[in-house]
């Protein structure tokens, strides 16, 4: 008869892994799609997906596009961070580089486009779970 290791039961390991992989994959996919959509828009002038936006929210997007550099920069960072999370390659770094975008997206929805607040809250919760999971990776930066 095999005795389970009481300090590390399999069920707990699986649920911890699932609790980390699902948010990482969902957030990574969200940012890869966002980055891809941004570059597709630059190439074609059409969005693959674009949620409804208020006139003020659309004005911010148009200003970012008009700058000539801000839209490609933001979308490149989204794509890089999303791919890092999606492919589990230095995911703590990927989360760190998209955290400013997450902050801006949340504020954007709170102030300019309230219809997107529920999606922003879900994104914030996913990012919060990952930030907590990767807290040891960030400790040297905060010391």
């Amino acid at each position: 008869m095999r005795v389970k290791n009481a300090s590390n039961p399999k069920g707990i390991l699986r649920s911890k892994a699932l609790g980390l992989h699902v948010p990482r994959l969902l957030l990574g996919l969200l940012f890869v799609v966002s980055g891809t959509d941004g570059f597709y828009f630059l190439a074609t002038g059409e969005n693959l997906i674009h949620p409804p936006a208020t006139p003020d929210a659309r004005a911010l997007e148009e200003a970012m596009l008009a700058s000539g550099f801000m839209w490609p920069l933001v979308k490149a960072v989204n794509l890089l961070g999303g791919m890092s999370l999606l492919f589990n390659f230095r995911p703590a770094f990927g989360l760190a580089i998209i955290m400013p975008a997450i902050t801006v997206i949340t504020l954007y929805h709170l102030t300019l486009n309230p219809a997107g607040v529920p999606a922003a809250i879900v994104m914030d919760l996913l990012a919060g779970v990952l930030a907590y999971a990767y807290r040891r990776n960030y400790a040297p930066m905060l010391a």
Side-chain angles (χ1 to χ4, degrees), residues 24 27-28 31-32 74 76-102 127 130-131 134 137-138 141:
R24 179 181 56 77
L27 200 59
F31 276 88
V32 166
V74 168
V77 169
N78 286 358
L79 197 55
L80 180 64
M83 288 175 67
S84 172
L85 290 173
L86 197 58
F87 297 117
N88 202 22
F89 181 76
R90 308 278 191 245
F93 171 73
L95 181 63
I97 65 171
I98 63 172
M99 219 32 130
I102 291 171
L130 292 177
Y134 302 139
N137 297 80
Y138 303 132
M141 283 192 309

Side-chain angles (χ1 to χ4, degrees), residues 51-138:
T54 65
D56 288 341
R58 193 71 192 139
L60 176 63
E61 291 176 13
E62 289 169 4
M64 289 173 59
L65 281 163
S67 73
F69 73 92
M70 193 57 149
W71 190 264
L73 175 65
V74 168
K75 295 308 175 177
V77 169
N78 286 358
L79 197 55
L80 180 64
M83 288 175 67
S84 172
L85 290 173
L86 197 58
F87 297 117
N88 202 22
F89 181 76
R90 308 278 191 245
F93 171 73
L95 181 63
I97 65 171
I98 63 172
M99 219 32 130
I102 291 171
T103 303
V104 170
I105 291 167
T106 301
L107 292 173
Y108 166 88
H109 286 297
L110 287 172
T111 59
L112 298 174
N113 202 28
V117 168
I121 290 171
V122 170
M123 181 183 59
D124 292 340
L125 290 173
L126 293 172
V129 167
L130 292 177
Y132 182 78
Y134 302 139
R135 67 190 179 279
R136 286 189 180 92
N137 297 80
Y138 303 132

Side-chain angles (χ1 to χ4, degrees), residues 2-17:
R2 187 174 174 184
V3 178
K4 287 185 180 179
N5 182 351
S7 66
N8 205 3
K10 266 188 172 176
I12 292 175
L13 282 179
R14 283 190 184 139
S15 65
K16 281 184 181 180

